[in-house]
Amino acid sequence: MVQRFQQYIDGAFEDAKEHFDSIDPSTGEVWAHMPSASADDVDRAVQAAHRAFMDPAWANLNATARGKLLYRLADLVAQHAPRLAELETRDTGKLIRETRAQIGYVAEYYRYYAGIADKMQGAWLPVDKPDMEVTVRREPVGVVAAIVPWNSQLFLSAVKVGPALAAGCTIVLKASEDGPAPLLEFARLVHEAGFPKGVVNVVTGFGNECGRTLTSHPLVSKIAFTGGPETARHVVRNSADNLAAMSLELGGKSPVLVFDDADIESACNAVVAGIFAATGQSCVAGSRLVIQRGIHDAFVAKLVEKAEAIRIGDPQDMATEMGPLATRRQLEHIQKVLKDSVEAGARVATGGSQPSDKTRGYYFQPTIVDCPNTQVPSVTNELFGPVLSVVTFDTEAEAIAIANDTRYGLASGVFTTNLTRAHRLSRALRAGIVWVNTYRVVSPIVPFGGYGLSGLGREGGFDAAMEYTRTKSVWIRTSDEPIVDPFVMR
Ligand code: NAD
């Protein structure tokens, strides 16, 4: 039976005037109807968030009490993780074993920001003027517009909702039009946690109407966006209307460098997990393997063997190791870039097409392409799918040059047993994350974000919470002497 979801505005669940179909990527069939927020719905959501921001029920709630609400939300997310995971798997095709593990950990992000709520302090300044007390208050920025892409929506919204609420902001969260079910369900947990009405609003809809209205709304003070660089450019243009503060978490083309002194078995397993987990639909996917020439053939042969052993199938089955892509659009994009790459001289070592027994749904084989240079389209473009592009180097300097030859700069990996080299590379790589002898580990305590086209600002960690505040400098004159008339000459 086709399910129907509702949007959450001003503390109430409601139907939108229009709905759109959500497709199960493992079958290609419609499984749910999602509310399509109109410009008017978005305006009501922002107005509600603005009222809530000014309302003493939220504005005067002390920081410790805000933290307690966030702890309650964290407990509810943990408690409902199986249901949320099931919905995310259904709506996006991400493996149930991945969504269960990830959503279990999402609760930790809310706990981390719950703990931070009453630790965001202002300051007293030893100012160079007589008879003055100067303090710096730290205040919430106001209404936050949070926008997420379709992959890992609960996770990507936790790094926005958590710090925003800890700081005392209110929020309008826009789920992606692809796979919004888990976020619309999350709204029910916000409601149950007991946040005052309007503090959190959850809508979904298309970029052109819903996203544009939200990011250009005059009452929005901060935009926290995750998505692709092209959409980010629209968001930046939209923000010319409200001059909102902004953080942008965008895509990546992350290199994994493997040197001939590396622990080959570990490196190989990390490369496989780095690109084929989440069917490669991860912003930090290690999609470029930069490999030293001497070990190239043996390493690629090992990778091919592991890739061909991956069990592809129903994402709801705990035994499945790789599920479908989330949308037909994704599938077609990958097919096109691969075709162009082969024409540019790339050799397909394994994969390269849909599995012959899985043409229903958006399945694609784990694919490895050996590339003659860094100009091949699969090396330069983010594919957001299970495609690993291999580029070969001879020297350390060459490896660094290849790794940095990208407009992105989100993550990077280095596999070596040489300690001094590990230090040199962690300095030389132009990326927001360098993982040495490991890959794809994250924590709420650690900042996350990129260089170049990968974005602006950081999420995660303490400083990210500060991004949801601004300072107010308060000057208090402490002298009882009258202020002299400035127009009387002395
Ligand atoms: P997308 O950029 O197409 O969409 C992202 C969101 O923006 C969606 O909610 C969409 O509705 C909205 N949007 C579209 N047009 C808009 C507009 N004009 N104004 C405002 N909002 C608008 O991205 P996608 O295809 O859903 O996701 C894939 C991209 O997200 C990839 O590039 C991936 O690397 C990136 N991503 C980045 C991170 C990170 O943390 N760095 C994490 C996950 C995904």
Side-chain angles (χ1 to χ4, degrees):
M1 211 179 84
V2 176
Q3 295 183 36
R4 193 180 178 90
F5 285 77
Q6 292 184 304
Q7 57 193 16
Y8 182 58
I9 297 175
D10 204 13
F13 291 91
E14 54 172 64
D15 284 327
K17 284 203 185 70
E18 290 181 18
H19 286 75
F20 60 90
D21 292 343
S22 211
I23 292 177
D24 179 338
S26 65
T27 62
E29 283 164 14
V30 176
W31 78 279
H33 292 149
M34 300 298 173
S36 180
S38 63
D40 178 57
D41 292 333
V42 174
D43 179 55
R44 285 190 301 109
V46 177
Q47 299 277 0
H50 181 65
R51 277 196 305 278
F53 184 71
M54 308 303 283
D55 189 331
W58 180 247
N60 292 351
L61 195 66
N62 68 53
T64 308
R66 286 202 306 272
K68 282 183 183 162
L69 280 172
L70 273 167
Y71 277 121
R72 201 176 303 157
L73 181 59
D75 290 345
L76 286 166
V77 169
Q79 194 184 323
H80 292 267
R83 162 95 181 125
L84 295 168
E86 194 190 310
L87 283 174
E88 185 164 351
T89 296
R90 190 76 196 271
D91 219 7
T92 66
K94 187 164 167 160
L95 294 186
I96 190 74
R97 60 201 234 179
E98 288 174 344
T99 53
R100 275 193 197 160
Q102 191 179 51
I103 295 168
Y105 198 47
V106 162
E108 295 307 318
Y109 278 75
Y110 284 107
R111 286 201 183 102
Y112 176 73
Y113 284 109
I116 277 183
D118 57 8
K119 293 163 195 72
M120 286 190 257
Q121 299 166 353
W124 170 88
L125 301 183
V127 73
D128 59 341
K129 300 285 183 290
D131 304 323
M132 290 289 176
E133 279 290 319
V134 177
T135 54
V136 178
R137 295 172 54 85
R138 195 161 276 285
E139 300 190 339
V141 287
V143 176
V144 174
I147 298 189
V148 292
W150 50 265
N151 65 313
S152 309
Q153 298 203 39
L154 285 162
F155 177 73
L156 295 172
S157 51
V159 288
K160 300 170 175 59
V161 177
L165 297 180
C169 296
T170 58
I171 191 158
V172 178
L173 176 58
K174 180 201 162 317
S176 169
E177 62 274 34
D178 296 314
L183 270 198
L184 295 168
E185 184 70 13
F186 166 77
R188 300 203 171 267
L189 307 185
V190 169
H191 193 76
E192 195 178 333
F195 287 90
K197 69 174 187 169
V199 168
V200 181
N201 306 271
V202 185
V203 295
T204 187
F206 296 88
N208 203 20
E209 181 166 1
C210 176
R212 187 170 41 76
T213 309
L214 181 56
T215 47
S216 59
H217 200 289
L219 291 176
V220 164
S221 299
K222 176 173 164 83
I223 298 167
F225 174 82
T226 302
E230 211 35 64
T231 317
R233 290 192 179 96
H234 285 289
V235 169
V236 171
R237 283 184 208 111
N238 297 344
S239 73
D241 287 345
N242 53 22
L243 297 180
M246 194 165 320
S247 61
L248 302 172
E249 292 290 342
L250 311 178
K253 194 71 210 176
S254 302
V256 183
L257 286 65
V258 181
F259 288 85
D260 59 10
D261 60 12
D263 173 338
I264 298 299
E265 185 63 23
S266 290
C268 195
N269 286 335
V271 169
V272 167
I275 184 63
F276 299 129
T279 318
Q281 302 165 109
S282 161
C283 53
V284 292
S287 54
R288 288 188 294 149
L289 169 63
V290 185
I291 183 108
Q292 197 148 19
R293 192 170 307 277
I295 55 170
H296 169 282
D297 292 357
F299 197 85
V300 171
K302 212 182 228 302
L303 280 178
V304 166
E305 195 184 314
K306 287 185 189 278
E308 289 177 353
I310 291 174
R311 198 174 314 154
I312 304 172
D314 179 358
Q316 296 281 1
D317 183 344
M318 279 298 275
T320 300
E321 293 168 341
M322 206 178 91
L325 293 157
T327 61
R328 173 165 297 286
R329 198 175 66 240
Q330 273 295 112
L331 179 63
E332 290 169 355
H333 169 61
I334 289 164
Q335 286 167 327
K336 158 112 186 41
V337 178
L338 264 184
K339 185 169 164 289
D340 294 347
S341 303
V342 171
E343 279 166 17
R347 180 187 70 86
V348 177
T350 186
S353 56
Q354 283 203 281
S356 54
D357 59 337
K358 288 190 179 55
T359 47
R360 189 168 162 258
Y362 312 138
Y363 289 94
F364 199 77
Q365 290 171 320
T367 298
I368 299 171
V369 280
D370 221 341
C371 302
N373 57 56
T374 54
Q375 300 315 309
V376 170
S378 73
V379 180
T380 51
N381 289 287
E382 183 187 39
L383 273 81
F384 222 57
V387 179
L388 178 70
S389 299
V390 183
V391 185
T392 311
F393 70 87
D394 288 302
T395 64
E396 185 180 309
E398 209 185 328
I400 293 167
I402 292 169
N404 288 342
D405 185 12
T406 173
R407 296 187 70 196
Y408 291 104
L410 186 56
S412 58
V414 178
F415 285 83
T416 180
T417 48
N418 180 331
L419 182 65
T420 53
R421 172 182 283 154
H423 279 284
R424 278 194 302 276
L425 280 154
S426 63
R427 270 200 304 269
L429 291 174
R430 290 187 46 76
I433 304 166
V434 181
W435 283 303
V436 179
N437 293 329
T438 183
Y439 201 79
R440 218 167 174 261
V441 266
V442 292
S443 160
I445 302 163
V446 182
F448 184 101
Y451 285 38
L453 278 193
S454 291
L456 203 65
R458 295 290 178 265
E459 290 188 326
F462 192 86
D463 290 349
M466 293 304 203
E467 297 291 312
Y468 289 82
T469 67
R470 60 184 151 209
T471 58
K472 179 188 278 175
S473 303
V474 181
W475 295 71
I476 301 182
R477 183 167 176 262
T478 53
S479 168
D480 287 335
E481 293 297 314
I483 296 177
V484 294
D485 184 337
F487 297 112
V488 174
M489 296 298 286
R490 276 163 230 281

